[in-house]
Amino acid sequence: MRQPLLRLRQFGLTRQLSTIGIGMLLASLVACSGLREEPGTDPNRWPQLTNPLANEQAVEEEVNRLLERMTVEQKVGQLIQPELRNITPEQIRQYHIGSLLNGGGSYPNGDKYASVDDWLALADSFYLASMDERDGGIAIPIIWGTDAVHGHNNVVGATLFPHNIGLGAANNPELIRKINEITALEVAVTGMDWNFSPTVAVARDDRWGRTYEAYAESPELVKAYAGEAVNGLQGQVGTESFFGPGRLIATAKHFVGDGGTQDGVDRADARMSEEKLRDIHSPGYFSAIEAGVQTVMASFNSWNGVMLHGHEYLLTDVLKERMGFDGLVVGDWNGHEFVDGCTRDSCAQAFNAGVDIFMAPDNWQALYANTLAQVNSGEISQARLDDAVRRILRVKLRAGMFEKGLPSERPYAGQSELLGAPEHRAVARQAVRESLVLLKNNGGLLPLDRHSRVLVAGDGAHDIGKQSGGWSVTWQGTGNTNDDFPGGTSIYQGIAEIVTAAGGQVELQEDGHYQERPDVAIVVFGEDPYAEMQGDVSHLNYTSDTDLALLQRLQNQGIPVVSVFITGRPLWVNAELNVSDAFVVAWLPGSEGAGVADVLFRDDQGAVNHDFKGQLSFSWPANAVQSPLNDGQDDYQPLFEYGYGLTYADRDHNLPILPEESGISATDGTEVLDIFRDRPLAPWELVIADGSRRHLPVTGSGASVPGVTVQSIDRYVQEDSRRLQWSGDDLARVSLQATQRTDLEPYLAERAALQFDLRVDTPPSAEIVVGMACGQDCGAELDLTDALSRAPVGEWQTHSVDLQCLSDGGTELALVLVPFYLASAGAMELDLHHVRIVPDAATQQPCE
């Protein structure tokens, strides 16, 4: 392939540089690991479970009657699950679609603030289309699935509960049931039928971006919770509550081993024995199945090299036959495409392995056509087709879908007052109180006198979005303001309510620069929101110079400091612990931040108001590279062990000064430095700007300024890339930048290059440059126009720019603020994926 030429510029200086052009690479998270264990051959190693719904004669007879009347086309339609944004009611009628979903951040008409009536109107239109018999088919009601993973979190105004990691610390199975009852009720208000919850993963490596979706590192606690979560959502089998008014179809996910992948990489390989897979990662499914869970979601990960979506032994031999699960198995978001020999629009292998419903958000029409052809050719047998459809019909019949009628006419539908109802928020507030874990309370600083003068500081103090984490109104939990959580309370608001009512004083200053010296400072800080693979990290070091400096400044002024840490996983925070008198882990408490103040402050009479009940359901690391770290493993030496948690009775427990060596080796430029991998990685953020110097951080799935628009798109996995659209109306720039400098100098000695993947959808109409900057008159640019003009439209290419050339062009590599930007005044459309600094990748061709 001819290699295009790029021109390097430094304020008018033009130079030459080559790129590496490559086609799209197959995404693969299954690393070569030498010899693999046999993938499993004896399902008798697994338990036989008691299915409380087995052999329901009336249900099975009705299933048989329906099956006999269905055409092959209608049966295949039941297997396909498109996403809300990519399906119309007419298409549901035409293809006999059996289910649909709304992904995180997907709303009726694209409106984040859609009303309850908007949700119901859409649900009615989908339902009516599925019941239309004008083409001679039979009426089979569609079911709508949603990820209500900590309350009805996709709908503005709903009650948001603490994420599962906090609920695990509460150690209260009865509370889990109550939370899921409320979640089901609030979902029912909007007319949906199916919840992709509970997550019953056992997270064993806290670097995993979904750690907060797991209750614990302990299979015993997950098992105790899973069945109760199912009972809360579906109702208890054998009682009137089972699929009664306000109940939903539940989903145990993700089967199986998602919390045990190598190095905590989301969707990667779980390399372990079958015994470990069974005994550590499966107990949540045992209790869920025995509680009557009706659906199980297949996992993105593989087990010893075989993708779960194509794992017949685990999906069919173990789950369905040995364990007696007679509900349906649904795939995850295009998860079938990663099975060997499959694509997004064709995968008989996954279906034959045991996936009953393809979650096919976008290419669903091609998948439908190919699946139908595979049935007609015999690649998919009639028996396997009927088995899948039988399971789907069985679930719909058990859930009463054939009798429920229009979503808007069902019990609780349209009762918007139930969204965020006071009694629901009270349960969420209780859950916050019980989830808090006290790691340090030197000198018995807590509980505080509510008559005090209190400074509240930190960027998490008055930010409901930050305290709620991912899966909160949007998929990543980003792009929100406090106005997106009406009825909710920030942690600051809860403190202010208690203190001011008692006659005390509260001052909110995010940066800690107070007007009047306080008696005590409460500093709220921690992780910003993320979800799924975009939360994966390479180590457990919490890095924020701003937060640490704030704590140090207050300590140096002699002000007692209470740290409230917002986090989706245990992190190494020894430096922050050392400059805090008290340290509370709040996890991701959700919309009811007032629950924090309930515990931090005494009551009006000076007695303990609410004591700490939370205990760590994950071991806390002694250094930043101590992962995996799990109770019972060899050489188990955590900083705080599993089950740790102080109470107010532990007044004599004082934590000594902790070592502050993280264990992380300083970068020597020999490892890849990811700048954008699925998302901007800290400390960088994605920023767009126009010619009038308006700058807008891109905190959600999309953003726009005059001249350029950014929108999240899928390349390999959900929203792992960004579509960049220049209008040509104005000079505009898209950059990855930070407020702190990054030293890239060590990479120079390692012959490193800046690499980034681009796909040209519409070629540039004018000059476009790529650059790196270190401040005013400090940086270099490279002309990409020729390369992108000659790039094949619709194909990904990896572009590579030697750091040496950028250094020669004027970039001070030790002082980099903007490691990557694209700028143009022309019109074009590009897709961007994975920006990184790669050692030993320089072409060493002349820069001129």
Side-chain angles (χ1 to χ4, degrees):
M1 178 183 294
R2 183 182 176 189
Q3 297 193 354
L5 295 177
L6 309 176
R7 297 193 303 279
L8 180 70
R9 310 187 316 173
Q10 180 208 13
F11 312 116
L13 178 65
T14 301
R15 301 171 184 259
Q16 299 282 331
L17 223 182
S18 66
T19 65
I20 303 169
I22 62 171
M24 183 180 289
L25 297 176
L26 174 66
S28 174
L29 293 175
V30 183
C32 296
S33 56
L35 295 176
R36 293 174 175 172
E37 288 197 34
E38 289 300 314
T41 57
D42 183 10
N44 292 323
R45 298 175 181 176
W46 294 73
Q48 284 185 304
L49 303 176
T50 302
N51 182 344
L53 295 166
N55 302 317
E56 293 178 299
Q57 184 175 353
V59 169
E60 297 308 310
E61 289 176 353
E62 182 59 21
V63 168
N64 289 335
R65 283 193 291 270
L66 291 169
L67 269 176
E68 289 174 359
R69 298 173 56 200
M70 293 174 71
T71 64
V72 171
E73 289 78 8
Q74 189 165 19
K75 289 177 182 178
V76 172
Q78 293 295 303
L79 315 180
I80 307 297
Q81 185 179 93
E83 206 273 339
L84 172 67
R85 291 166 286 195
N86 302 312
I87 187 77
T88 66
E90 174 56 26
Q91 289 171 322
I92 286 173
R93 186 197 65 78
Q94 178 182 353
Y95 289 90
H96 307 285
I97 297 299
S99 64
L100 80 151
L101 80 149
N102 64 289
S106 179
Y107 325 97
N109 307 311
D111 181 6
K112 181 178 181 179
Y113 306 103
S115 68
V116 167
D117 288 342
D118 293 332
W119 287 97
L120 286 172
L122 199 55
D124 279 356
S125 68
F126 290 144
Y127 173 83
L128 289 170
S130 71
M131 303 300 283
D132 192 321
E133 298 178 305
R134 286 178 295 173
D135 64 355
I138 63 172
I140 298 177
I142 196 168
I143 50 176
W144 180 341
T146 192
D147 287 282
V149 296
H150 68 133
H152 197 9
N153 44 255
N154 218 49
V155 175
V156 170
T159 309
L160 299 191
F161 297 92
H163 270 294
N164 286 353
I165 192 170
L167 299 180
N171 197 10
N172 186 341
E174 184 178 338
L175 179 61
I176 299 303
R177 180 192 286 227
K178 185 62 177 175
I179 285 170
N180 281 277
E181 287 177 359
I182 292 170
T183 298
L185 185 59
E186 295 202 9
V187 171
V189 169
T190 56
M192 299 174 206
D193 320 287
W194 183 5
N195 189 9
F196 300 137
S197 177
T199 299
V200 297
V202 179
R204 302 289 282 185
D205 192 321
D206 301 341
R207 293 173 291 183
W208 186 36
R210 305 190 79 157
T211 296
Y212 68 81
E213 294 188 57
Y215 296 118
E217 70 185 43
S218 159
E220 291 80 14
L221 183 58
V222 174
K223 183 179 181 182
Y225 273 18
E228 291 302 322
V230 171
N231 286 333
L233 290 169
Q234 295 186 168
Q236 188 165 357
V237 176
T239 71
E240 291 185 359
S241 69
F242 185 63
F243 284 123
R247 302 292 180 155
L248 304 175
I249 299 166
T251 307
K253 67 180 188 182
H254 308 85
F255 189 81
V256 62
D258 51 344
T261 57
Q262 189 76 7
D263 298 326
V265 176
D266 191 38
R267 309 183 179 193
D269 196 23
R271 304 175 194 167
M272 66 186 72
S273 68
E274 188 166 1
E275 287 69 29
K276 284 187 177 180
L277 187 71
R278 178 195 65 203
D279 296 342
I280 294 177
H281 294 279
S282 301
Y285 298 97
F286 302 161
S287 63
I289 290 170
E290 293 194 322
V293 71
Q294 288 300 286
T295 72
V296 169
M297 184 178 291
S299 185
F300 271 114
N301 66 278
S302 56
W303 175 47
N304 293 332
V306 180
M307 300 301 295
L308 261 297
H309 275 71
H311 212 303
E312 184 174 4
Y313 173 73
L314 288 174
L315 293 179
T316 298
D317 298 349
V318 171
L319 176 64
K320 292 180 175 179
E321 295 179 1
R322 176 64 179 176
M323 290 163 55
F325 174 67
D326 65 358
L328 67 86
V329 173
V330 61
D332 207 337
W333 187 280
N334 281 328
H336 54 276
E337 72 171 307
F338 301 106
V339 176
D340 286 348
C342 288
T343 63
R344 185 170 294 192
D345 56 18
S346 180
C347 194
Q349 295 93 320
F351 186 71
N352 287 334
V355 173
D356 300 308
I357 292 179
F358 292 105
M359 187 182 288
D362 38 31
N363 287 30
W364 63 268
Q365 287 168 290
L367 180 63
Y368 171 93
N370 287 326
T371 304
L372 180 60
Q374 288 155 357
V375 171
N376 289 332
S377 72
E379 187 176 357
I380 293 174
S381 70
Q382 188 67 47
R384 172 66 189 112
L385 176 64
D386 284 352
D387 170 62
V389 178
R390 180 181 300 278
R391 290 171 176 274
I392 295 165
L393 295 174
R394 181 183 293 136
V395 170
K396 291 183 176 183
L397 285 164
R398 285 174 174 168
M401 297 307 303
F402 286 84
E403 296 81 35
K404 282 188 173 182
L406 274 174
S408 62
E409 296 177 358
R410 297 171 190 170
Y412 306 113
Q415 297 185 27
S416 56
E417 68 275 10
L418 293 176
L419 287 179
E423 57 270 28
H424 298 173
R425 295 188 185 276
V427 174
R429 187 164 174 167
Q430 173 194 349
V432 173
R433 291 195 297 266
E434 295 190 14
S435 68
L436 302 176
V437 177
L438 181 61
L439 298 183
K440 179 179 180 179
N441 192 24
N442 283 16
L445 175 61
L446 297 176
L448 302 172
D449 186 340
R450 60 178 62 195
H451 303 88
S452 304
R453 186 189 308 278
V454 181
L455 169 68
V456 183
D459 68 348
H462 192 40
D463 190 335
I464 303 175
K466 178 162 181 155
Q467 75 191 34
S468 296
W471 294 107
S472 298
V473 183
T474 64
W475 175 40
Q476 291 292 316
T478 55
N480 296 318
T481 69
N482 284 351
D483 290 339
D484 295 321
F485 304 92
T489 53
S490 68
I491 293 172
Y492 156 72
Q493 287 172 313
I495 294 168
E497 180 183 10
I498 280 180
V499 174
T500 56
Q505 293 181 301
V506 178
E507 182 178 351
L508 174 66
Q509 295 290 346
E510 182 176 314
D511 63 6
H513 290 292
Y514 48 82
Q515 299 296 317
E516 194 169 352
R517 182 182 175 87
D519 299 320
V520 64
I522 301 174
V523 183
V524 187
F525 63 96
E527 288 191 300
D528 290 325
Y530 55 81
E532 298 192 39
M533 79 296 292
Q534 298 194 24
D536 287 356
V537 294
S538 58
H539 56 71
L540 297 179
N541 188 29
Y542 177 70
T543 52
S544 172
D545 294 340
T546 302
D547 294 334
L548 183 58
L550 168 58
L551 295 170
Q552 289 170 333
R553 186 174 73 248
L554 293 169
Q555 184 194 54
N556 291 339
Q557 293 171 355
I559 297 171
V561 175
V562 179
S563 285
V564 177
F565 190 46
I566 295 171
T567 183
R569 60 186 129 213
L571 289 170
W572 186 75
V573 287
N574 281 20
E576 290 80 3
L577 279 160
N578 284 338
V579 291
S580 304
D581 297 283
F583 197 98
V584 177
V585 182
W587 309 112
L588 300 170
S591 62
E592 305 314 301
V596 175
D598 288 343
V599 181
L600 295 187
F601 287 87
R602 299 178 181 274
D603 65 17
D604 284 330
Q605 285 71 46
V608 170
N609 189 35
H610 290 278
D611 204 344
F612 283 91
K613 293 184 177 180
Q615 297 178 320
L616 293 178
S617 59
F618 289 86
S619 304
W620 200 274
N623 61 57
V625 295
Q626 196 178 19
S627 188
L629 177 65
N630 297 293
D631 186 25
Q633 73 181 43
D634 294 338
D635 193 28
Y636 179 67
Q637 296 181 337
L639 179 62
F640 302 111
E641 65 185 12
Y642 180 91
Y644 177 92
L646 301 175
T647 70
Y648 286 140
D650 299 309
R651 298 191 60 82
D652 296 330
H653 186 284
N654 288 308
L655 189 69
I657 294 296
L658 302 170
E660 295 188 12
E661 292 297 322
S662 70
I664 300 173
S665 301
T667 180
D668 56 6
T670 61
E671 295 184 357
V672 173
L673 175 64
D674 287 317
I675 300 168
F676 179 98
R677 191 192 69 224
D678 301 330
R679 63 185 173 98
L681 299 179
W684 299 288
E685 62 179 349
L686 186 63
V687 177
I688 55 178
D690 62 19
S692 61
R693 298 185 179 274
R694 282 175 290 215
H695 290 71
L696 179 65
V698 183
T699 60
S701 295
S704 182
V705 296
V708 68
T709 297
V710 175
Q711 183 63 48
S712 298
I713 61 168
D714 303 350
R715 182 185 183 185
Y716 298 136
V717 296
Q718 189 175 358
E719 296 193 10
D720 64 349
S721 305
R722 301 295 183 269
R723 176 153 295 156
L724 316 176
Q725 296 171 301
W726 276 265
S727 66
D729 297 331
D730 196 359
L731 176 67
R733 186 172 91 162
V734 178
S735 62
L736 289 159
Q737 61 188 60
T739 56
Q740 63 191 67
R741 298 188 183 274
T742 299
D743 183 6
L744 298 181
E745 195 74 36
Y747 285 91
L748 204 55
E750 299 299 326
R751 301 174 54 255
L754 169 66
Q755 292 190 345
F756 49 97
D757 295 357
L758 287 178
R759 180 174 63 188
V760 177
D761 297 315
T762 303
S765 66
E767 182 185 52
I768 177 171
V769 298
V770 60
M772 181 178 287
C774 40
Q776 184 71 29
D777 298 330
C778 179
E781 288 181 345
L782 186 78
D783 193 326
L784 277 172
T785 314
D786 187 50
L788 298 186
S789 296
R790 294 190 287 110
V793 173
E795 292 187 15
W796 287 97
Q797 289 187 316
T798 294
H799 298 274
S800 186
V801 180
D802 289 7
L803 281 192
Q804 185 65 61
C805 291
L806 292 167
S807 177
D808 293 346
T811 303
E812 293 288 345
L813 292 180
L815 303 172
V816 172
L817 291 168
V818 184
F820 174 85
Y821 68 84
L822 295 170
S824 179
M828 77 198 77
E829 184 173 302
L830 308 175
D831 298 333
L832 174 68
H833 175 87
H834 199 188
V835 181
R836 66 273 191 195
I837 307 293
V838 182
D840 202 29
T843 63
Q844 293 191 313
Q845 296 187 16
C847 297
E848 296 187 318

